[in-house]
Amino acid sequence: MIWIHKSRPRFIRRTLRKMTFQYLQTQSQRAAFAGIFVILLPNFVPNLFEPLGRAYPSLFSEWNAPSPKHIHLLEGALHQEISEKQQSDIWSPLANQGWKPCLDSATVPFHPEKSQGYIQVFLDGGLNQQRMGICDAVAVAKILNATLVIPHLEVNPVWQDSSSFTDIFDVDHFIKVLQNEVSIIKELPSKYSWSTREYYGTGIRPTRIKTAPVHASAKWYLENVLPMLNSHGIAAIAPFSHRLAFDNLPKEIQLLRCKVNFEALTFVPHIKILGDTLLQRLRSSPTTNLQQKGKTGNGKFIVLHLRFDKDMAAHSACDFGGGKAEKLALAKYRQVIWQGRVMKTQFSNEELRTQGRCPLTPEEIGLLLRALGFNNHTRLYLASHKVYGGEARIRTLRKMFPLMEDKKSLASEKERAKVEGKASLLAAVDYYVSMHSDIFISASPGNMHNAMLGYRAYRNMKTIRPNMVLLSQLFLNGTMEWSEFQGAVENGHKNRQGQIRVRKETQSIYTYPIPDCMCQDG
C-alpha cells in the first residue's frame, strides 16, 4: 500500500488516482475480452472443456460431442459394397396398389345463407398439429352449418414463432377450393370485432367453449356448440387440437377433412418458390457453388426428417451417449420445462430402447439407411429445425452420407430471407420438399412422420417406416457383425416402405387415408 502524506503536492495524489483508474479500466477490458474468449473458444477447440462439462453440465453439455456408439457397425457400413440390384430395388417407385384419391364430398347441398353463426378456433402446437386442427375446424363448421373464420394460430412456446395462417398458407386458394362445401371468411364482421384472442384471454366469456373433449363426436358439437351459436351468433373454441373424433362420422365429413388436408391447404407462393429451388438443386449434380445449382437434373434424393432438438431429447428420457454431463443437463431441462412430469423417466434407458420408445440418433438412422442399400453417393436432404449438439452430433451421419444437404447448404442467405428465424415457415419448406422427394424417412414417430405417411400414401409414394423395436434390439447388441445387422434390417423393413395400410378404429385419418379418402381403383 502507498502512503501519501498530506503535505505532499496535490498533483502526486491526482497522478496516482489517474493511474489507479487506468489500471482498473484495463482490468475490466481484459475481463470482458476473457469472457468473450471463453464463450467462443469451444467452437474452435470443442474438447477443451470436458472436465468442466462434468462439473457444470447445464452450461457445457452441448459442447461435448459424443463419440460414435456403434463403431463396429460403422466400419462395416463405410466399407460395404452395394449391388446394382439393391440400388434399383431401393429407388424404384411403388407399383399401383389399387387405390386412388376420392374427394367428391359435396353430396349435401350447401346453403351459405342459412349459416347458424360464426366459428372461431385457436390452434396450438407446431405446423403439423395446427394443420390437422384446420382440417377439423372445417369439418366442425360443416357439421354445424356455420361460417368458419380463418383459424388463429397460437405462438408455439418452444419455437416462439408468431406466424399466422396467411403467413403460411394460401388463404385465397383455401377459400376457393372449399367454397362449395363451407362458408369461410378472413375476418369477422364489425359486429363481432370484439371476439379476439385477447378478449378470451382476460376472463370467463359466455361465447367461449373451453371444455370440448378430445376426439369429440359430431353429436357433442350439435348439443353443446350449436345452442351457443343460436344464442350469441358466435362461438370460440379453445383449445381445439384433436377435438374431433375419427370414427362414427358421416362419409361426406370424412371426405371433406381429406379434401382440406390434401387439396385446400397449400403454402404461400414464396415457400413454394424456395421449395422448388431446393428440389431443383437436389436433383442436379452435387456442387458446392450455389451459383451453379440452377442446372436442371433428374437425380433422385431421400428426405430424412431428423427431429433431434433439445426438447425432444429431454422428453424422451433416453440416453444418447453424451455421458453424465448430458444426462444431468437434460434432467434439469425436464425440470424447468415440465417440472419433472415426464412419465418415461420411471423407465431405464434399456427398458425404453427395448420397447422402441427412443428416437434414433443421427448415427443410428445413418446405419439404418446404409443397411437398406443407400450408399455414400446418395443425395440426402436433412429436414430438421435445430439438432441438439449441433454439427458435432451429426458428424458421423455426414461421414456416411457426404452429399447430405439442408436449406442452408442449398440456398443462399438472400433466398432464405423470408423464412429465416421463423420455425413454422422453415418447417413448411421442409414439408414441401418432403412432399416431392423420391423417398421419405423419419428418425422418430411424430406429427411430421404421421403427416408424410398420410400424404405419401394418398399419392402412392415410397415412405420408409423404421421398425423401432427391431432396431433398438439390434443396437443394444454390441457384438453383431455388419452382415448380420444388414440382413436383419432388410428383412425387418420389406413391408415398411409405403405398402397400403387400411385405417383401424381410432387411428388418424390424416395418417391413414384409406378407406376414408380413397376409393378402390377399378
Side-chain angles (χ1 to χ4, degrees), residues 28-86:
S28 298
Q29 290 174 341
R30 287 176 180 172
F33 282 122
I36 295 172
F37 180 72
V38 169
I39 291 172
L40 294 179
L41 186 57
N43 293 300
F44 304 102
V45 191
N47 296 324
L48 182 63
F49 289 100
E50 287 185 0
L52 285 173
R54 289 188 288 272
Y56 302 99
S58 62
L59 177 62
F60 292 97
S61 67
E62 294 184 55
W63 293 348
N64 298 334
S67 300
K69 290 184 65 176
H70 312 287
I71 297 177
H72 193 56
L73 293 177
L74 179 60
E75 290 176 354
L78 293 174
H79 293 94
Q80 72 168 340
E81 293 185 4
I82 299 173
S83 67
E84 290 185 9
K85 184 178 186 305
Q86 273 184 298

Side-chain angles (χ1 to χ4, degrees), residues 9-180:
R10 291 182 179 176
F11 79 91
I12 295 177
R13 294 197 297 272
R14 286 198 300 268
T15 301
L16 287 172
R17 284 198 298 268
K18 183 176 180 181
M19 290 172 64
T20 302
F21 174 75
Q22 289 175 338
Y23 172 78
L24 293 173
Q25 188 177 44
T26 302
Q27 291 298 99
S28 298
Q29 290 174 341
R30 287 176 180 172
F33 282 122
I36 295 172
F37 180 72
V38 169
I39 291 172
L40 294 179
L41 186 57
N43 293 300
F44 304 102
V45 191
N47 296 324
L48 182 63
F49 289 100
E50 287 185 0
L52 285 173
R54 289 188 288 272
Y56 302 99
S58 62
L59 177 62
F60 292 97
S61 67
E62 294 184 55
W63 293 348
N64 298 334
S67 300
K69 290 184 65 176
H70 312 287
I71 297 177
H72 193 56
L73 293 177
L74 179 60
E75 290 176 354
L78 293 174
H79 293 94
Q80 72 168 340
E81 293 185 4
I82 299 173
S83 67
E84 290 185 9
K85 184 178 186 305
Q86 273 184 298
Q87 282 284 294
S88 175
D89 289 346
I90 196 66
W91 286 109
S92 61
L94 291 174
N96 187 300
Q97 300 186 75
W99 293 84
K100 63 180 181 180
C102 184
L103 296 180
D104 296 328
S105 57
T107 56
V108 178
F110 177 56
H111 302 293
E113 69 277 3
K114 295 182 180 179
S115 173
Q116 299 296 313
Y118 299 97
I119 290 289
Q120 285 180 290
V121 296
F122 300 90
L123 303 173
D124 53 16
L127 174 69
N128 294 294
Q129 189 172 330
Q130 290 172 337
R131 187 183 182 103
M132 291 184 285
I134 293 167
C135 299
D136 288 348
V138 173
V140 167
K142 180 78 169 183
I143 290 168
L144 298 172
N145 194 21
T147 298
L148 177 67
V149 184
I150 290 295
H152 173 89
L153 308 186
E154 301 278 25
V155 177
N156 188 293
V158 175
W159 309 125
Q160 292 297 311
D161 186 355
S162 59
S163 297
S164 67
F165 184 105
T166 54
D167 292 328
I168 304 170
F169 301 108
D170 187 333
V171 66
D172 292 324
H173 175 83
F174 179 73
I175 293 174
K176 183 177 180 181
V177 170
L178 300 172
Q179 64 184 353
N180 293 326

Side-chain angles (χ1 to χ4, degrees), residues 270-456:
H270 75 83
I271 288 177
K272 292 197 286 187
I273 290 171
L274 177 56
D276 286 333
T277 298
L278 300 180
L279 289 168
Q280 183 185 43
R281 292 171 183 172
L282 281 164
R283 297 196 183 282
S284 302
S285 299
T287 174
T288 57
N289 186 344
L290 284 173
Q291 299 303 318
Q292 296 178 11
K293 291 187 178 180
K295 298 179 181 178
T296 301
N298 57 2
K300 296 181 179 181
F301 72 96
I302 180 172
V303 166
L304 165 59
H305 177 243
L306 182 64
R307 188 182 174 197
F308 205 80
D309 52 76
K310 190 171 185 177
D311 187 70
M312 180 283 304
H315 197 270
S316 72
C318 298
D319 181 2
F320 298 109
K324 184 177 179 181
E326 183 175 86
K327 290 180 182 178
L328 292 174
L330 294 178
K332 183 176 181 180
Y333 186 83
R334 280 193 293 272
Q335 186 62 39
V336 172
I337 302 300
W338 301 289
Q339 292 75 52
R341 295 191 300 271
V342 177
M343 294 299 294
K344 288 184 179 181
T345 55
Q346 64 185 300
F347 300 101
S348 68
N349 178 66
E350 287 72 22
E351 288 173 325
L352 290 171
R353 289 195 174 277
T354 301
Q355 297 167 20
R357 298 174 68 182
C358 289
L360 298 175
T361 66
E363 176 190 357
E364 289 168 345
I365 194 71
L367 290 170
L368 165 62
L369 290 171
R370 292 298 290 252
L372 288 173
F374 298 101
N375 58 23
N376 60 353
H377 297 297
T378 299
R379 300 300 300 277
L380 189 151
Y381 177 82
L382 191 62
S384 65
H385 179 62
K386 183 180 180 182
V387 177
Y388 177 56
E391 179 62 29
R393 178 74 70 173
I394 61 174
R395 188 179 296 140
T396 304
L397 175 63
R398 192 178 295 281
K399 188 175 183 179
M400 286 185 272
F401 295 96
L403 300 183
M404 185 167 68
E405 307 273 14
D406 59 17
K407 292 178 285 294
K408 288 187 176 181
S409 67
L410 286 169
S412 68
E413 187 175 343
K414 182 179 179 180
E415 290 172 315
R416 304 192 315 269
K418 291 185 177 180
V419 302
E420 204 62 64
K422 301 173 182 176
S424 292
L425 301 189
L426 291 168
V429 174
D430 284 341
Y431 193 107
Y432 186 83
V433 174
S434 300
M435 289 167 61
H436 297 87
S437 65
D438 297 283
I439 299 172
F440 176 87
I441 186 171
S442 181
S444 61
N447 288 329
M448 178 67 166
H449 168 84
N450 293 338
M452 280 298 113
L453 275 182
Y455 177 84
R456 295 174 69 86

